[in-house]
Amino acid sequence: MTIKKLTLSPPAPGVPFYTPTQDPPAGTALPSNAEVPTVFTPLKIRALELQNRFVVSPMCMYSADDGHLTDFHLVHLGSFALRGAALTIVEATAVTPNGRISPEDSGLWQDSQIAPLKRIVDFIHSQGQKVGIQLAHAGRKASTLGPWNSHNGSEVALAEHGGWPDNLWGPSAIAWDEGYPTPKEVTVDEIKYLIKSFADAAKRAVQAGVDTIEIHGAHGYLISEFLSPISNQRTDSYGGSLENRARILTETVQAVRAVIPEDMPLFVRISATEWMEHSNQPSWDIEQSKQLAALLPDLGVDLLDVSSGGNNPAQQIKVHANYQIDLATQIREHLNKQGKKLLIGAVGMINNAEMAKSVVQNDGKLSGEKAETIEVDAEHGTTAKADLVLVARQFLREPEFVLKVAAELGVDVRSPAQYLRAPYRRKTQKL
């Protein structure tokens, strides 16, 4: 009798624990003669190679310990990578202690915060997936309570809650809303310190092994506050014109780009509009976002993550399924006309298979056997609305969202090796 020699799964490389190599990683489209929708085709951005177009968007969990990530974050973030998300981005991570949104926010302002981040990075890498981190400063919206901890209707974290309401920083001394602390207008020296803090945090992120970094310039946090003429009423070189209001972002991009590896992609998230067009005063809008986006490729930015709102409680959002995706599309079309090479990420209310597919679908479809890694500039000029699908709340509802979308679209994808006995089945398949 001939005894077959078993081929055992080798251990995942480069991690300090045993787990079998996921080869290929979960969420990878398997060889097939059927057409593979773009959302399950690879994308390469500098040295970052993604097997599909699904990204876990940064989501605040208000669960860190003095800025240090914990086992909660390991399980929370690891669950998405395990189930096929090609890139998982760690939540908004403060570059200074007073830059946290809440006392329980993630931070990367000191070296002791590297190790817990690295533990998460190691696990995500062990699954063959990629991990990024969003670096942020909350500005005048800092020192608030986690959403389940409001106190007598107030969202402000006072000193007794571990907050710092007397040490908020903003471009101008304008409070976020009535009942909120008035921030200190930062000096030019403090701006330089903030920019250096972003760069120092980026260095720590690189030490932890992340694959990409995103600079948070959205949702009414510090950089977003500088961009808006409503919240930024400075008269120096950081206020007034679009160029001046964008200066803190462009200088932060330059500082971060200078300290991360040349082959590491750099992302930026912005609010494409603050939804204040009704106010009859100058505000941040889609046209300025287009102008800003055109500046970013020459600064070394590879992808613009397009969100909206968050800088003013009087915002008026016309909500519909594609209200944020449409903003991303407008910016992408503007960049194409300008001949600028910048990838676009779309966010917002992406909660089903057809919607995820439609965001990134290209005219030219690739079969499973012919789906090759696509370089950064290969897709411009197509009809895709964006290049990556960034999903947040739907991953909270369904950590297996990638696998479910594949099943509903009829795409055969790899499941985690340990879960192969329980694959997601197409609607036409029997149990």
Side-chain angles (χ1 to χ4, degrees):
M1 181 176 68
T2 302
I3 299 176
K4 278 190 172 183
K5 184 177 180 181
L6 291 176
T7 302
L8 300 179
S9 297
V15 295
F17 56 88
Y18 172 76
T19 189
T21 294
Q22 304 287 344
D23 185 20
T28 302
L30 298 175
S32 169
N33 291 323
E35 290 181 336
V36 176
T38 305
V39 75
F40 282 102
T41 61
L43 180 68
K44 182 175 182 181
I45 316 171
R46 298 196 187 222
L48 177 66
E49 296 190 28
L50 307 177
Q51 81 276 19
N52 61 47
R53 308 302 181 90
F54 289 95
V55 178
V56 178
S57 197
M59 293 180 278
C60 292
M61 291 287 109
Y62 311 98
S63 299
D65 181 4
D66 190 28
H68 298 76
L69 299 177
T70 70
D71 285 357
F72 166 81
H73 298 93
L74 174 67
V75 175
H76 163 66
L77 297 168
S79 68
F80 309 128
L82 175 66
R83 294 168 174 84
L87 174 63
T88 300
I89 303 181
V90 177
E91 65 189 73
T93 297
V95 300
T96 65
N98 77 338
R100 290 171 290 171
I101 302 166
S102 81
E104 294 80 31
D105 269 21
S106 171
L108 205 49
W109 66 78
Q110 57 186 348
D111 288 351
S112 63
Q113 292 158 341
I114 298 172
L117 172 60
K118 187 177 188 304
R119 186 167 181 234
I120 293 165
V121 170
D122 284 345
F123 178 79
I124 292 175
H125 284 168
S126 78
Q127 302 307 300
Q129 315 290 17
K130 306 302 182 183
V131 57
I133 191 167
Q134 184 185 69
L135 300 181
H137 192 290
R140 65 178 182 168
K141 293 177 73 174
S143 191
T144 58
L145 296 167
W148 54 85
N149 285 325
S150 62
H151 181 69
N152 295 328
S154 173
E155 296 180 355
V156 178
L158 304 175
E160 64 195 76
H161 308 132
W164 51 98
D166 297 330
N167 189 30
L168 303 189
W169 287 8
S172 300
I174 302 172
W176 151 250
D177 196 7
E178 184 177 349
Y180 286 77
T182 299
K184 172 189 175 182
E185 180 174 311
V186 292
T187 66
V188 171
D189 284 344
E190 287 165 340
I191 291 172
K192 301 301 182 186
Y193 165 77
L194 284 166
I195 292 169
K196 183 178 184 300
S197 296
F198 271 91
D200 289 344
K203 292 178 186 177
R204 295 186 183 100
V206 171
Q207 284 183 256
V210 303
D211 301 292
T212 186
I213 288 172
E214 177 170 273
I215 296 170
H216 198 349
H219 300 164
Y221 299 125
L222 186 71
I223 291 175
S224 179
E225 294 163 18
F226 267 88
L227 292 174
S228 167
I230 295 178
S231 49
N232 181 355
Q233 297 183 8
R234 302 172 72 96
T235 57
D236 63 5
S237 60
Y238 289 92
S241 67
L242 171 59
E243 179 184 5
N244 284 357
R245 284 181 281 116
R247 192 179 305 278
I248 191 170
L249 173 57
T250 57
E251 291 184 349
T252 298
V253 166
Q254 290 171 319
V256 170
R257 182 77 264 176
V259 298
I260 65 175
E262 176 64 28
D263 62 358
M264 176 181 284
L266 180 59
F267 296 3
V268 169
R269 170 171 275 195
I270 64 167
S271 286
T273 174
E274 57 182 327
W275 300 109
M276 289 294 291
E277 291 84 353
H278 64 280
S279 67
N280 296 319
Q281 61 180 317
S283 64
W284 184 257
D285 59 21
I286 184 65
E287 294 306 317
Q288 292 171 85
S289 290
K290 292 176 183 177
Q291 294 177 59
L292 175 63
L295 301 175
L296 297 179
D298 292 339
L299 298 175
V301 175
D302 301 286
L303 180 138
L304 183 65
D305 177 359
V306 181
S307 188
S308 71
N311 193 47
N312 200 300
Q315 64 186 17
Q316 292 184 6
I317 303 176
K318 298 175 182 177
V319 178
H320 56 86
N322 290 313
Y323 81 99
Q324 298 202 103
I325 296 169
D326 288 348
L327 296 170
T329 304
Q330 289 182 56
I331 293 174
R332 192 176 194 268
E333 290 174 348
H334 175 76
L335 292 169
N336 286 340
K337 291 176 182 177
Q338 297 287 318
K340 298 288 185 177
K341 296 178 181 179
L342 183 68
L343 293 173
I344 298 295
V347 307
M349 302 176 71
I350 301 170
N351 59 12
N352 62 73
E354 287 301 327
M355 190 173 184
K357 174 185 175 181
S358 69
V359 170
V360 296
Q361 187 62 34
N362 297 322
D363 289 332
K365 298 177 181 178
L366 301 172
S367 72
E369 294 177 341
K370 297 179 180 178
E372 298 176 351
T373 299
I374 301 169
E375 299 295 337
V376 167
D377 61 347
E379 294 181 317
H380 290 274
T382 71
T383 58
K385 300 179 179 72
D387 302 282
L388 286 177
V389 175
L390 287 98
V391 178
R393 295 181 188 184
Q394 197 59 28
F395 272 120
L396 297 183
R397 300 181 188 104
E398 297 179 313
E400 69 283 358
F401 183 60
V402 174
L403 303 178
K404 182 180 179 182
V405 169
E408 292 187 357
L409 295 180
V411 180
D412 291 324
V413 299
R414 176 75 175 189
S415 294
Q418 299 93 329
Y419 293 10
L420 286 175
R421 289 178 293 180
Y424 249 96
R425 298 184 185 276
R426 302 182 196 179
K427 292 180 180 178
T428 56
Q429 289 179 309
K430 296 181 180 179
L431 294 176

